[in-house]
Amino acid sequence: MPETQRLALLASPTERAQDAEQALRDAYDWVPFEEADAVVVLGGDGFMLQILHQMLEQGPMMPAFGLNLGTVGFLMNKYKSSRTIAERVAKARSIAVAPLRMEATTNTGEKASSWAINEVSLLRETRQTAKLEVSVNGKVRIPELACDGVLVATPAGSTAYNLSANGPILPLGSNMLALTPISPFRPRRWRGAILPETYEIVFRARESVKRPVLVVADQKEVRDVSEVRVVAEPEHRLTLLFDRGQSLEERIFAEQFMV
């Protein structure tokens, strides 16, 4: 980032983030979000995802530098005041993240679509096990997956829900997606797949009335779906900024050695 960058400041509604916003307001000559070259985001991963979704849906697209005032802060940098925020943003390393596009059809024929930066997950709505047909690039790979659910994760999201479901960690820049079952019952030995991000994945709910299924794209939920299409859209890549030595790429790599 250039030294003369124009920065916007956005803060989550939490008390910690609001207090930090007040402290930073006088530290830099901030500009409105629509006029900025980059945005500084105060909060946690959830608020960062909210801002990234806003960029995808409404624009403008710009690099985002997060300061963690939430819980995990996987997408954020440490909040500290040892250097000016402008210096940190100017010296930050950029990481590109390709989002997923989810398109769902409900049992009544309604259509819904949404972006996902971490993952798209299908989940059973009731005690009835979900039964899903899984197709990749137009070919049925699993005629009937009996499970609690299944998800498609990006490299950025591979250490989130995907990891807790025993899915693989994907390095940034791998241009791959993780297809991971959630509590699979049949076929018992299937533990998922790693697919190129250019592949299209389609899920069809079998017995969708008796065994209702919902889909969640990051924070957006659609219930009673009959079909869900998931595809990565690299042309809409987002840019996250990290302090040197603290990048998302390094965090994802380090997760593979956690014991």
Side-chain angles (χ1 to χ4, degrees):
M1 294 293 296
E3 294 285 354
T4 57
Q5 65 211 322
R6 296 170 298 173
L7 299 179
L9 182 64
L10 297 176
S12 78
T14 65
E15 184 176 351
R16 288 184 66 203
Q18 290 296 308
D19 289 344
E21 180 186 26
Q22 289 300 315
L24 284 172
R25 275 297 168 191
D26 297 330
Y28 190 80
D29 187 16
W30 305 97
V31 301
F33 179 70
E34 296 76 13
E35 301 173 12
D37 299 313
V39 59
V40 174
V41 180
L42 305 178
D45 287 340
F47 187 64
M48 175 61 87
L49 287 173
Q50 180 181 325
I51 298 304
L52 295 176
H53 275 270
Q54 179 181 328
M55 290 186 198
L56 285 168
E57 294 164 6
Q58 304 171 16
M61 301 286 281
M62 69 184 75
F65 183 89
L67 291 174
N68 186 30
L69 291 159
T71 305
V72 179
F74 202 77
L75 302 175
M76 318 295 279
N77 296 278
K78 291 182 180 179
Y79 177 73
K80 54 186 177 181
S81 56
S82 58
R83 292 189 299 170
T84 67
I85 188 64
E87 278 184 276
R88 291 178 68 183
V89 175
K91 295 178 180 179
R93 181 185 177 193
S94 63
I95 295 292
V97 177
L100 300 173
R101 188 68 178 172
M102 180 278 291
E103 297 178 354
T105 303
T106 69
N107 290 336
T108 58
E110 296 179 38
K111 305 287 186 179
S113 63
S114 183
W115 297 100
I117 296 158
N118 276 350
E119 76 276 319
V120 173
S121 53
L122 280 78
L123 305 166
R124 63 185 177 94
E125 293 183 27
T126 66
R127 62 182 179 81
Q128 293 279 2
T129 299
K131 290 187 177 181
L132 305 171
E133 178 189 275
V134 182
S135 297
V136 179
N137 277 1
K139 182 174 182 178
V140 176
R141 291 294 180 177
I142 302 180
E144 185 175 284
L145 172 63
C147 56
D148 281 355
V150 66
L151 63 84
V152 181
T154 67
S158 66
T159 56
Y161 192 5
N162 173 71
L163 182 59
S164 68
N166 297 314
I169 295 175
L170 303 176
L172 287 177
S174 65
N175 299 324
M176 305 297 282
L177 301 174
L179 175 59
T180 303
I182 302 168
S183 300
F185 175 71
R186 190 173 55 247
R188 290 185 182 276
R189 295 185 180 180
W190 189 66
R191 291 295 177 262
I194 298 175
L195 305 173
E197 68 175 17
T198 54
Y199 284 16
E200 178 187 79
I201 306 163
V202 176
F203 304 101
R204 294 184 178 86
R206 300 171 65 91
E207 304 176 44
S208 59
V209 175
K210 176 183 177 182
R211 303 173 184 274
V213 174
L214 62 84
V215 62
V216 182
D218 282 351
Q219 299 160 334
K220 181 175 180 179
E221 176 183 302
V222 181
R223 300 182 72 86
D224 300 331
V225 296
S226 60
E227 181 176 296
V228 175
R229 172 181 174 269
V230 181
V231 63
E233 298 210 352
E235 64 273 21
H236 290 90
R237 288 188 192 276
L238 297 155
T239 302
L240 296 175
L241 300 175
F242 292 93
D243 290 321
R244 297 284 174 171
Q246 300 294 323
S247 73
L248 179 60
E249 185 175 36
E250 168 59 26
R251 296 179 196 187
I252 289 176
F253 184 75
E255 284 286 339
Q256 298 178 78
F257 296 91
M258 292 293 186
V259 294

